[in-house]
Amino acid sequence: MGRAKLFQDRRDAGRRLAQLLSGYRSEAPLVLALPRGGVEVGYEVARALGAPLDVWIVRKLGAPGQPELGVGAISEGGEVYVDRNLVALLGISESELAEIAEQQAAEVERGVRRFRGDRPMPPVEGRTVIVVDDGIATGGTVRAALRDLRKRSPRRLVLAVPVAAPSSLSSLSREVDGVACIEEDPGLQAIGAYYEDFSQTSDDAVAQLLAEAQRELPRAEEAERPLFVEAGTAALPGDLAIPERAGGLVIFAHGSGSSRRSPRNRSVAEALWRWGLATLLFDLLTDEEEAEDRRNTRLRFDIDLLARRLIGATDWALARPELRHLAVGYFGASTGAAAALIAAAARPRVVGAVVSRGGRPDLAGAALAMVRAPTLLIVGSADTAVLALNQSALDGLAGPRRLAVVPSATHLFEEPGALAAVARLAGEWFAQHLIARRDEARA
């Protein structure tokens, strides 16, 4: 009798593999699949984790006259892996190897154009990245991809496959921070032997799955709905984004002299969508007030006014049918952070968490002692004056609190990876205190 098939097809394998990876959902991972068969597996993994899906193009370096026999691989970032023992055994010269690599580099470029088009390489730095394929025999192509990605400074690099040869998986485990595999078989020879349906995945199928994955996640240019937020007597322009199966709503309070168009806040908002969080960014001042503030900078420091506007926006949001069931968190920057803390003290039953980015919590004054919501203060280590103010304000908060210092970051978090660190810290805090507690309450 032949071996019993483990998986119906690659999509079935992906759904089962996603169960092993469920613990990474809270890290808002990026799923990178190796075309072509890995994309079918990766699509189901990304879908289950609520994560973005992209490809990482790798091509096998086939031996002369035996193209199916891999003697190495080349990755889209330029990483070349060569099995030197096998090359020596087969007597392949350096010139032959260079010619093969050049040919496959051209194929890699074609693959990038075919599957990614004009989109840039997915940002990897500071993120949890899960690399997915449909199985591993020798592991040459996967190794090239992992080494390429490691150079790009991911926070965590994870390898996930439905089936693999144990020796290859053990060797590859040294390249990553985590491994997920359903079946390890010392007798593995052909990956297709573990699938009922292992028919070749076409380029069109890969493109279609990537397009579907893009549609399933909100995007900055498509997800946000412009509207007017009624905050007391003021009608303030805002942008609301609600991802599918949202588990919470984060309302942003921008900082001194800024607006809902703050590129830093918008970058964080887009990251929070990946955590299953709706976002509301709105202007705290009317057009007339902004004009006045540009002249004398008075209103940006009127913390009580900003807090009243934030409270009004919160009440307005929770009166909307599509938002009223969501737990609420605040993300404040600069003076907006003080307004967020005052508003949290005024709505203790409503506000479940607060995050401050380079904020001035000291300007919240006596309200600090009334804030019960778990509060995370994020400051750059090079922003020394604001760091000292945050350290002092931390002790004044009544509820659970934490100070997170981003190494080498200045006030605007413009350094490479600094804003990504802010987004990750904020996502983790809101996931823990908004989404997780909501799920516990429902259990």
Side-chain angles (χ1 to χ4, degrees):
M1 295 181 63
R3 169 184 297 277
K5 305 294 185 180
L6 280 176
F7 313 111
Q8 180 180 347
D9 54 22
R10 292 183 180 90
R11 300 284 288 271
D12 172 52
R15 288 188 287 270
R16 292 173 58 184
L17 186 59
Q19 296 174 13
L20 299 182
L21 296 162
S22 60
Y24 292 106
R25 182 183 178 92
S26 63
E27 299 184 23
L30 167 68
V31 176
L32 293 180
L34 304 190
R36 294 187 292 268
V39 177
E40 292 190 74
V41 181
Y43 174 82
E44 295 295 339
V45 170
R47 192 176 188 187
L49 299 181
L53 172 69
D54 211 322
V55 289
W56 200 258
I57 311 298
V58 188
R59 291 285 297 188
K60 179 194 302 182
L61 302 182
Q66 304 178 71
E68 291 305 312
L69 177 58
V71 297
I74 183 168
S75 175
E76 69 171 85
E79 178 71 20
V80 179
Y81 163 71
V82 176
D83 185 336
R84 288 294 173 183
N85 291 331
L86 187 54
V87 166
L89 182 65
L90 296 174
I92 302 172
S93 68
E94 287 300 313
S95 61
E96 287 178 309
L97 192 61
E99 183 179 352
I100 296 167
E102 184 177 354
Q103 292 171 349
Q104 293 309 312
E107 291 299 319
V108 166
E109 290 183 12
R110 275 192 282 272
V112 170
R113 291 195 299 270
R114 175 70 179 89
F115 298 131
R116 194 176 295 131
D118 295 330
R119 288 186 291 114
M121 277 186 179
V124 168
E125 183 180 352
R127 305 184 70 174
T128 292
V129 178
I130 301 176
V131 177
V132 179
D133 204 355
D134 55 9
I136 293 174
T138 60
T141 54
V142 175
R143 191 181 303 276
L146 295 175
R147 290 183 177 179
D148 206 347
L149 290 164
R150 178 63 78 187
K151 293 177 180 177
R152 298 167 194 277
S153 303
R155 175 174 176 252
R156 196 190 311 275
L157 189 59
V158 179
L159 174 62
V161 289
V163 60
S167 59
S168 297
L169 201 62
S170 176
S171 176
L172 288 166
S173 67
R174 294 191 287 271
E175 310 278 354
V176 296
D177 304 302
V179 173
C181 181
I182 298 171
E183 178 76 6
E184 296 183 49
D185 185 358
L188 185 149
Q189 293 181 337
I191 295 169
Y194 299 82
Y195 292 82
E196 290 282 353
D197 178 3
F198 198 67
S199 53
Q200 187 175 34
T201 305
S202 68
D203 284 358
D204 288 343
V206 170
Q208 182 178 350
L209 287 172
L210 291 172
E212 288 181 11
Q214 289 289 321
R215 284 194 295 270
E216 289 178 1
L217 289 171
R219 296 166 59 186
E221 64 269 27
E222 297 174 359
E224 293 182 309
R225 285 184 280 150
L227 39 68
F228 281 93
V229 176
E230 297 174 11
T233 58
L236 304 166
D239 296 303
L240 174 66
I242 310 175
E244 188 178 357
R245 299 184 294 276
L249 169 66
V250 177
I251 303 177
F252 283 67
H254 58 74
S256 306
S258 187
S259 72
R260 75 186 191 282
R261 297 297 183 187
S262 161
R264 284 167 289 279
N265 280 355
R266 297 184 79 81
S267 178
V268 172
E270 290 180 30
L272 294 182
W273 299 341
R274 309 301 187 193
W275 293 81
L277 292 160
T279 59
L280 173 63
L281 293 89
F282 72 104
D283 291 339
L284 290 169
L285 301 176
T286 65
D287 290 343
E288 294 77 11
E289 290 167 340
E290 284 186 2
E292 177 188 344
D293 187 65
R294 283 193 292 272
R295 290 193 300 270
N296 56 33
T297 69
R298 179 181 64 84
L299 293 177
R300 70 184 64 180
F301 289 101
D302 189 341
I303 307 300
D304 288 336
L305 170 64
L306 303 183
R308 289 197 302 273
R309 294 281 168 82
L310 185 54
I311 293 168
T314 304
D315 295 342
W316 169 87
L318 292 181
R320 296 177 67 91
E322 71 271 37
L323 299 175
R324 63 179 52 158
H325 66 289
L326 298 177
V328 173
Y330 289 152
F331 184 95
S334 191
T335 53
L341 290 166
I342 293 174
R347 292 289 187 272
R349 296 180 180 274
V350 170
V351 181
V354 178
V355 173
S356 163
R357 171 184 64 81
R360 291 290 308 275
D362 55 298
L363 296 178
L368 285 175
M370 297 183 285
V371 177
R372 298 292 186 268
T375 300
L376 173 65
L377 307 178
I378 307 174
V379 190
S381 67
D383 191 10
T384 53
V386 173
L387 177 57
L389 293 170
N390 275 257
Q391 288 170 329
S392 176
L394 187 72
D395 294 333
L397 290 164
R401 67 271 194 193
R402 177 190 167 201
L403 175 64
V405 180
V406 179
S408 304
T410 52
H411 186 63
L412 295 180
F413 297 89
E414 295 176 308
E415 296 71 24
L419 197 58
V422 170
R424 175 180 58 79
L425 288 164
E428 290 174 347
W429 194 259
F430 288 129
Q432 178 184 355
H433 296 290
L434 294 185
I435 297 176
R437 291 192 177 183
R438 180 210 62 177
D439 292 343
E440 289 173 4
R442 290 180 177 179

